[in-house]
């Protein structure tokens, strides 16, 4: 199955003095793709909070491959990888529409119980329960 993808256009105000996309904005694009994927699967922020849970980022690594400039269109992918335990990985790529890889992002996340302030034991179960389309998460 192809990873979920969302298209973003680099805006001029997101660039730095060298004219390329500011490094922090790559994280915004990755986050945008993750929330877009949740929405496409039928999971809203309100739905998560209503269940007393919320996603948390535990680690994020970015490998920058090519510069991006104002006006560039990119596709930001999002694919979940499930292991055993309380955490999961999210692998993401930011690619120009010509296929050029601009960045690779790997994140470790979890689902926090908002009352206990602890990670839930089985995050897959939360996604399966809340998602109208759990296939987007590989479930």
């Amino acid at each position: 199955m192809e990873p979920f993808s969302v298209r973003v256009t680099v805006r001029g105000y997101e660039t730095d003095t060298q004219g390329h996309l500011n490094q922090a904005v790559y994280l915004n694009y990755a986050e945008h793709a993750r929330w877009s994927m949740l929405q496409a699967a039928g999971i809203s922020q309100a739905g998560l909070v209503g269940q007393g849970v919320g996603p948390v980022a535990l680690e994020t690594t970015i490998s920058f491959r090519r510069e991006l400039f104002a006006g560039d269109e990119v596709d930001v992918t999002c694919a979940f990888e499930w292991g055993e335990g309380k955490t999961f990985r999210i692998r993401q790529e930011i690619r120009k529409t010509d296929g050029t890889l601009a960045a690779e992002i790997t994140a470790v996340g979890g689902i926090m119980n908002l009352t206990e302030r602890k990670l839930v034991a089985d995050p897959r179960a939360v996604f399966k329960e809340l998602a109208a389309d759990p296939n987007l998460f590989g479930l």
Side-chain angles (χ1 to χ4, degrees):
M1 182 171 145
E2 288 291 313
F4 179 85
S5 181
V6 63
R7 183 156 290 173
V8 177
T9 301
V10 176
R11 295 166 289 258
Y13 63 83
E14 296 172 322
T15 60
D16 60 20
T17 57
Q18 288 85 15
H20 60 248
L21 186 64
N22 179 278
Q23 54 88 23
V25 179
Y26 287 82
L27 290 173
N28 289 339
Y29 288 4
E31 184 78 1
H32 173 67
R34 291 192 295 267
W35 279 106
S36 295
M37 182 177 176
L38 289 172
Q39 185 178 22
I43 299 175
S44 67
Q45 285 180 313
L48 288 163
V49 171
Q51 292 294 317
V53 297
V56 293
L58 303 169
E59 176 183 312
T60 303
T61 303
I62 305 173
S63 296
F64 300 99
R65 303 295 182 207
R66 293 288 182 272
E67 294 175 299
L68 293 174
F69 299 94
D72 284 345
E73 287 193 326
V74 295
D75 294 313
V76 186
T77 65
C78 189
F80 279 61
E81 295 178 353
W82 304 97
E84 300 300 319
K86 298 178 180 182
T87 64
F88 50 85
R89 287 196 180 279
I90 304 171
R91 298 218 184 264
Q92 297 181 266
E93 292 182 343
I94 299 177
R95 287 188 179 271
K96 293 174 71 169
T97 55
D98 68 4
T100 302
L101 181 63
E104 296 172 292
I105 300 157
T106 304
V108 176
I111 298 292
M112 179 182 282
N113 178 306
L114 298 177
T115 302
E116 297 174 6
R117 308 307 288 181
K118 293 182 179 181
L119 295 178
V120 300
D122 186 2
R124 285 183 292 194
V126 173
F127 282 109
K128 280 183 184 178
E129 179 183 335
L130 295 177
D133 185 4
N135 290 324
L136 284 173
F137 300 103
L139 300 173

